[in-house]
């Protein structure tokens, strides 16, 4: 019994020390162009070098008129997005060049994912996540590690009609399960007032996922606790 308790203590100590262990998975670096990104709505996109934080390339985003949920969208999905291993949030870097500060009424950026139901019965289903980052009011400069949490979709699941789901609840860890949606497109969306043009430079878009070791440690902890329960019932 004492050995089991020592084992549990060790597992808990290590697990607690690593429970915050997350790994960045680079999705889009814009080093070879726009990584498949194109305009979705009245927005302009172009390859650039301003604001490059990962290598020398970035994506220039421009909006002139007022906009709601327009964005840069790509169907190029790296494995971290195409076969979700447990994405918590998206990180990216954003630069505002001197003289291009947005001082209008409002401007924000967020993430929308699109997907198909199993068998491609229904495609183009959007899942816009509630978390956004304000652009209006920011001074010129580079803002690294902007975080968009993927924990509250403003669009309900197209099959179950359940609202406010997380990315992982929608797209699921088990491709092929009846209600899992297959991701098809990633989009950075922008909303802004119509009183001033908006220009920003985006780079280094990453998905943040738990490191495999963390999950393994939690499993070991569960096994150890199970051993204690069995010992007590014996």
């Amino acid at each position: 019994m004492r050995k089991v308790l020592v084992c549990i203590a060790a597992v808990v100590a290590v697990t607690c020390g690593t429970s915050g262990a997350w790994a960045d998975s680079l999705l889009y670096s814009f080093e070879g162009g726009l990584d498949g990104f194109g305009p979705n709505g009245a927005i302009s996109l172009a390859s650039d070098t301003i604001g490059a934080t990962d290598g020398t390339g970035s994506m220039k985003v421009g909006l002139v008129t007022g906009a709601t949920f327009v964005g840069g969208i790509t169907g190029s999905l790296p494995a971290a997005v195409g076969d979700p291993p447990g994405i918590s949030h998206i990180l990216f870097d954003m630069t505002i060049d001197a003289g291009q500060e947005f001082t209008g009424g409002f401007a924000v950026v967020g993430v929308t994912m699109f997907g198909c139901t199993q068998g491609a019965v229904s495609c183009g289903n959007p899942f816009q996540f509630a978390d956004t980052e304000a652009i209006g009011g920011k001074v010129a400069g580079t803002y690294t590690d902007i975080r968009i949490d993927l924990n509250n979709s403003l669009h309900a699941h197209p099959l179950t009609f359940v609202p406010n789901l997380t990315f992982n609840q929608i797209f699921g860890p088990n491709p092929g399960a009846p209600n899992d949606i297959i991701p098809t497109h990633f989009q950075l969306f922008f909303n802004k007032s119509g009183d001033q043009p908006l220009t920003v430079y985006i780079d280094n878009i990453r998905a943040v996922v738990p490191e495999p070791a963390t999950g393994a440690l939690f499993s070991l902890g569960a096994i150890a606790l199970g051993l204690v329960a069995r010992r007590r019932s014996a």
Side-chain angles (χ1 to χ4, degrees):
M1 181 67 174
R2 181 176 299 172
K3 289 182 179 180
V4 172
L5 291 175
V6 170
C7 176
I8 293 173
V11 169
V12 170
V14 176
T15 301
C16 290
T18 60
S19 61
W22 298 84
D24 291 2
S25 179
L26 182 63
L27 301 180
Y28 307 107
S29 66
F30 305 110
E31 289 305 292
L34 291 178
D35 290 343
F37 277 81
N40 185 13
I43 187 171
S44 63
L45 306 175
S47 295
D48 214 296
T49 58
I50 296 174
T53 56
D54 178 53
T56 60
S58 65
M59 179 174 70
K60 179 180 180 180
V61 177
L63 295 88
V64 177
T65 61
T68 304
F69 307 126
V70 303
I73 187 170
T74 179
S76 175
L77 300 183
V81 179
D83 183 13
I87 297 176
S88 167
H89 51 279
I90 295 292
L91 298 176
F92 62 92
D93 304 331
M94 180 175 70
T95 295
I96 302 171
D97 203 18
Q100 294 181 326
E101 300 89 342
F102 183 84
T103 57
F106 71 90
V108 300
V109 57
V111 171
T112 300
M113 290 294 301
F114 293 82
C116 292
T117 58
Q118 296 294 325
V121 175
S122 173
C123 290
N125 296 289
F127 301 95
Q128 172 204 330
F129 294 94
D131 191 25
T132 60
E133 176 76 11
I135 300 173
K138 283 183 166 58
V139 300
T142 295
Y143 298 82
T144 60
D145 297 335
I146 290 176
R147 172 172 172 156
I148 304 295
D149 289 313
L150 305 184
N151 59 1
N152 182 9
S153 171
L154 298 181
H155 294 85
H157 194 290
L159 298 177
T160 65
F161 308 106
V162 176
N164 309 121
L165 297 177
T166 68
F167 175 93
N168 298 304
Q169 288 172 325
I170 295 165
F171 296 100
N174 302 306
N179 291 333
D180 282 352
I181 305 299
I182 301 169
T184 59
H185 291 80
F186 173 94
Q187 174 177 265
L188 279 185
F189 73 80
F190 296 83
N191 297 338
K192 85 169 193 70
S193 53
D195 46 11
Q196 184 184 356
L198 171 70
T199 301
V200 294
Y201 302 84
I202 304 294
D203 195 21
N204 198 23
I205 301 177
R206 293 102 71 203
V208 182
V209 301
E211 292 181 341
T214 304
L217 286 169
F218 277 113
S219 297
L220 286 173
I223 292 170
L225 291 173
L227 290 174
V228 172
R230 290 182 60 186
R231 180 68 178 265
R232 286 179 175 174
S233 62

